[in-house]
Amino acid sequence: MSDNRSIVFFDLEATGLDTDVCDIIQLSAVCGKRVFNAYILPTRELTASAKQVTGFTVSGGKLFRDGVPTSTVPLADALASFLDFLRSFAGPVRLAAHSATRFDAPVLTRVMRRLKLLPEFQRLVSGYVDTFPLAKNLFRLSSYSQQNMVRHFLGKSYDAHNAVADATMLQELFNHWNPSAQAVQRATFSTCVF
DNA sequence: TGCCAGGCCCTCTTTAGGGCCTT
């Protein structure tokens, strides 16, 4: 049994898959029953596939999800609130996401750096846990997508690509797996490598 | 068709190519 009290599960929805340029649209995090969520109005257009996958659109300077208007905050405010959320835990936390090293970590690091928040972020976050290699090391499956694994292990379908639901389901998956501390350590990466 | 992300992993590999995973 690993000590997962310090693991915060998070997820980003963004304007596309290019980690060098995409804008964050939704930033969510879950730890136990504590939930963080923020929507941000993007400055660049969503790719066609991002629109299709996430259901987000921008019209008239407003953000919509599945056609429903959504309240947004400036990116700097969202990140400051996120840091406040992380600061509320005792000691540095680990941030867990599915394919964190391929997508979420480089994007989050880039925007933190751009807004000169990276030193504080790195003070609050000791590392990233990537649940994709974690799952590959633990199980032999035909698919390691989060949606497939939620179906396989939890027998559930859910509102995938809503970042709150994705982070919540990831936490549930992790708790179901109950991985050893050694297994989690093997799937943990420093915040300094992005 | 002009472009469309990219790095890891696997294998019918290594002088390569295709699928996966995230939006």
Side-chain angles (χ1 to χ4, degrees):
Chain A
M1 169 80 181
S2 63
D3 176 8
N4 65 13
R5 286 173 299 179
S6 62
I7 298 182
V8 174
F9 297 84
F10 82 111
D11 188 49
L12 305 178
E13 304 301 324
T15 53
L17 286 169
D18 187 341
T19 56
D20 290 333
V21 300
C22 70
D23 277 358
I24 296 173
I25 298 175
Q26 186 184 14
L27 168 59
S28 303
V30 171
C31 186
K33 294 191 179 304
R34 301 168 68 180
V35 177
F36 173 85
N37 185 52
Y39 294 99
I40 302 111
L41 186 67
T43 61
R44 60 186 297 128
E45 197 169 337
L46 282 81
T47 64
S49 62
K51 283 182 191 169
Q52 184 179 15
V53 164
T54 67
F56 283 114
T57 51
V58 175
S59 179
K62 293 194 171 184
L63 180 68
F64 296 79
R65 185 174 193 249
D66 297 331
V68 179
T70 304
S71 296
T72 59
V73 296
L75 176 63
D77 292 1
L79 296 182
S81 298
F82 184 52
L83 291 178
D84 283 341
F85 180 75
L86 298 178
R87 207 174 280 119
S88 71
F89 296 91
V93 302
R94 284 166 291 174
L95 283 181
H98 201 54
S99 287
T101 52
R102 296 288 314 124
F103 185 76
D104 304 84
V107 173
L108 189 58
T109 301
R110 172 171 56 81
V111 297
M112 287 287 180
R113 182 178 288 122
R114 180 156 62 85
L115 294 176
K116 304 190 189 310
L117 295 170
L118 192 57
E120 176 66 356
F121 176 75
Q122 289 177 328
R123 195 179 68 77
L124 296 169
V125 178
S126 63
Y128 288 103
V129 178
D130 191 334
T131 53
F132 179 64
L134 176 63
K136 288 193 82 170
N137 288 337
L138 290 175
F139 310 106
R140 181 64 60 189
L141 302 172
S142 59
S143 164
Y144 295 88
S145 72
Q146 183 172 325
Q147 231 177 328
N148 181 70
M149 290 196 294
V150 166
R151 194 181 310 116
H152 177 85
F153 288 105
L154 305 178
K156 290 182 179 179
S157 58
Y158 71 104
D159 187 16
H161 293 293
N162 177 329
V164 175
D166 275 327
T168 301
M169 282 298 107
L170 192 61
Q171 176 175 249
E172 206 170 312
L173 262 183
F174 185 93
N175 290 340
H176 178 84
W177 295 342
N178 192 21
S180 68
Q182 291 78 11
V184 175
Q185 189 57 40
R186 280 199 300 274
T188 299
F189 302 85
S190 165
T191 59
C192 299
V193 300
F194 300 100

